Each structure stands twice: as C-alpha cells, then as structure tokens.
Amino acid sequence: MLMSIPMLLYVILFAYVPLGGWVMAFQNFRPRFGVGPIRNLIEAEWVGLAHFRTLLDTSGHTGARFIRALTNTVGQSLLTLVVGTISAIVLSLMLHEVRQTGIKRFIQNILYLPHFLSWMIVTVLVSMALALPVSGGIINDVLLALRIIREPIQFLAEPRYFWGIVAGANLWRNLGWNTIIYMASMTAIDPNLYEAASIDGANRYRKMWHITLATIRPTIILLIIMNIGWLLASGFEIQFFLGSGPSIARAENIDIFVLRFGIEQHNFGLATAAGVFRTGVSILLLLAANLVAKLMKQETLF
C-alpha cells in the first residue's frame, strides 16, 4: 500500500488536478502574465456554451473543421480497433497451437519488440516503408514484385490511404503486445476440455472454435468495451508528422485540432471545449457499450 502512494499522487497531480482547467471551456480565456493561474481563471470572461455551439455549428468554418476532425478520429479509431482486435485474436490462436515452448517464446519476443519503440521512430519507419521505390519504399517494392500494382503509389500523398496507414502502423506496433491478455486467458483453459473434445472426435479447428474462443469470449468483450472508450483518441504522432499536404484533410483528428486552436491560435476556450466534448462522448460510449454487453448477458466492467 505504501509503494502505491507515489503512483496515486502522480495520477492525482496529472489526471485530476488539471480538470480544474475545464472551466476555460466556458470562458473567453486570455492568460495574463504576472497574475496567478487561479486568479486568471476566476477573472476570465464567462461565455457559457458559446464555444460548444461554435464547435457544433457546421455552417461555420470552425464547426465544419471540428466535425471533420471528429469524423477522422472515429474513422481511424474504428478501423484500428477492428483490425487490431481480429488480428490479435487470430495471432493468439496461432501461437496457442504452437507446442514447442522455445519456438513460441522466440516468436512472442520478436512480436513484442515494436511496442517498445517510440511513436517518433515508428513514424519514421512508416514514412520510409511507404516511400517510392527510388527512396527505398519496401511496400511499393513488394507490391510491384507481386504484380498487385503496375506503378508505384504515393501513399502519403493520397488522402484515401491515410486511415489505413494509421491502422497499419498501430497494428505493426501493438499486435504482439495485444496478444498478451488473450494468451494469458488461454493458458487458464482446463486441458481436460480439449481431451474430452478429442474423445468426441473434434479436430483442431473445432477445438479452437468451441473451446478456446468460447472460453476467452468474456476477455474479448471486456477489452472491446474498454477500447470503445478510447474511440475518440486515435493518436497524435502519426497524424501530426505524416498528415501534411493533400492528406491533412484526412489526418487532422481532435488532438491535432486542440493543438492548433489552443497553442497555435491561442483560442484556449475553444480548444478546451473540444477536449471536454471528447471526454464526455468517450464516457457515454463506454457506458453504452457496457450497457449493451449487460443486456446481452455478457461480461461487463461494472
């Protein structure tokens, strides 16, 4: 309990204390130097829900841009969630079927390594992989060698590819790491279930479907519920560093929207309102997903 105190203080300081700044979403906040932060907040001009109305007013430039950022965020997150979840489950099933412990551990260690790379490094690697063949783009080289395409594709210059790039980068970095919980759930399965299935004549695929997947289903549902709460947090680094030029319309998400309006344009109230909106919607999505799971008699968070 004593060892948990530093982490508890860390969470309080960096996760709960900043919530006091949410009042800026209802103010026309302009920081004044030489004045304390609390006094700055108290004496700022109150504008009520004006910033929220601006964000949701699609007839205005700011509102249209925010809705576009919201669409990009949800699109990128949904694609990442679907691809990542299915791939992690399939990979976990494949690893579970590997009987040689040494080979399994070696494969797992290789798959875990990308997770420990910073997003900055991942962004550089993704940029290099998607470049043209003359610049060493391995993706174009492979597609050309397999005759899937006839000429190189400028992936980063084509807006329609950007959501897929985000999902692919997240998949490469986190696929191995995402299998840890599924693999842990599989190790808890009673071996007698597999023996009984073998006596009944079930083959390997039947065992995977009726025993392995059925047993880890509560884990899958719980992870999906938690991930739904992060649908409005699709990332930052890849979108910010690779989303330039023609791709910026498909790259700008809520995080980048908050950065550009709050830091670059000094519109702190509007940027804070966007952040508050994202948090509120995320909580509602989490509660809705949990309620749906409860109505379907599945495992829930609470």
Side-chain angles (χ1 to χ4, degrees):
M1 294 295 292
L2 292 176
M3 292 176 64
S4 67
I5 292 178
M7 184 55 64
L8 181 62
L9 294 176
Y10 174 86
V11 172
I12 293 174
L13 180 62
F14 291 100
Y16 289 98
V17 172
L19 293 180
W22 275 13
V23 297
M24 288 190 292
F26 309 95
Q27 298 174 331
N28 187 17
F29 183 79
R30 292 291 182 271
R32 295 179 298 163
F33 297 101
V35 179
I38 297 179
R39 183 177 174 185
N40 258 323
L41 290 174
I42 294 176
E43 296 181 356
E45 178 188 0
W46 289 84
V47 295
L49 299 176
H51 294 310
F52 292 95
R53 286 193 291 266
T54 301
L55 290 175
L56 300 177
D57 183 10
T58 56
S59 61
H61 172 73
T62 302
R65 184 172 173 178
F66 176 74
I67 296 300
R68 186 185 68 184
L70 178 62
T71 303
N72 289 335
T73 303
V74 175
Q76 295 168 11
S77 295
L78 275 178
L79 188 59
T80 299
L81 174 61
V82 172
V83 173
T85 301
I86 294 176
S87 300
I89 294 172
V90 172
L91 180 59
S92 300
L93 290 173
M94 294 172 64
L95 290 174
H96 185 66
E97 295 299 315
V98 178
R99 301 309 177 193
Q100 285 76 15
T101 305
I103 296 177
K104 180 187 292 187
R105 288 179 178 175
F106 175 76
I107 295 174
Q108 286 177 303
N109 289 332
I110 295 298
L111 292 173
Y112 295 161
L113 287 178
H115 180 78
F116 298 99
L117 297 176
S118 70
W119 273 113
M120 282 296 299
I121 297 176
V122 173
T123 301
V124 174
L125 293 176
V126 169
S127 178
M128 293 173 60
L130 296 175
L132 295 175
V134 294
S135 301
I138 188 174
I139 302 297
N140 271 308
D141 285 335
V142 172
L143 294 178
L144 289 170
L146 296 176
R147 297 185 178 182
I148 297 177
I149 58 176
R150 295 183 178 180
E151 58 183 17
I153 300 175
Q154 294 183 344
F155 289 101
L156 297 178
E158 293 288 342
R160 66 178 182 272
Y161 294 126
F162 198 85
W163 288 6
I165 292 172
V166 173
N170 278 279
L171 178 65
W172 178 78
R173 183 178 185 267
N174 298 320
L175 177 59
W177 188 260
N178 290 339
T179 63
I180 291 178
I181 297 180
Y182 296 120
M183 292 293 296
S185 299
M186 291 177 185
T187 57
I189 299 176
D190 188 354
N192 293 325
L193 295 176
Y194 294 106
E195 295 177 4
S198 298
I199 295 175
D200 290 337
N203 58 26
R204 174 173 293 186
Y205 301 104
R206 288 288 184 181
K207 294 176 185 177
M208 291 170 61
W209 181 262
H210 293 288
I211 298 177
T212 309
L213 276 177
T215 304
I216 68 171
R217 183 175 61 185
T219 302
I220 296 174
I221 294 174
L222 285 177
L223 290 177
I224 290 176
I225 292 174
M226 289 189 292
N227 287 327
I228 286 177
W230 292 96
L231 277 181
L232 296 186
S234 60
F236 176 79
E237 288 84 354
I238 289 183
Q239 292 86 343
F240 184 75
F241 290 107
L242 298 184
S244 59
S247 299
I248 193 171
R250 299 273 286 182
E252 186 179 63
N253 57 11
I254 295 180
D255 288 332
I256 298 177
F257 178 91
V258 170
L259 172 71
R260 287 175 175 160
F261 274 85
I263 304 300
E264 296 179 3
Q265 300 185 21
H266 307 290
N267 195 337
F268 301 103
L270 187 68
T272 305
V276 172
F277 177 86
R278 184 186 70 174
T279 302
V281 173
S282 297
I283 294 173
L284 292 177
L285 288 174
L286 180 63
L287 294 175
N290 192 76
L291 178 61
V292 171
K294 183 178 296 186
L295 294 176
M296 296 176 64
K297 307 298 182 182
Q298 303 296 328
E299 294 291 330
T300 58
L301 290 175
F302 44 85

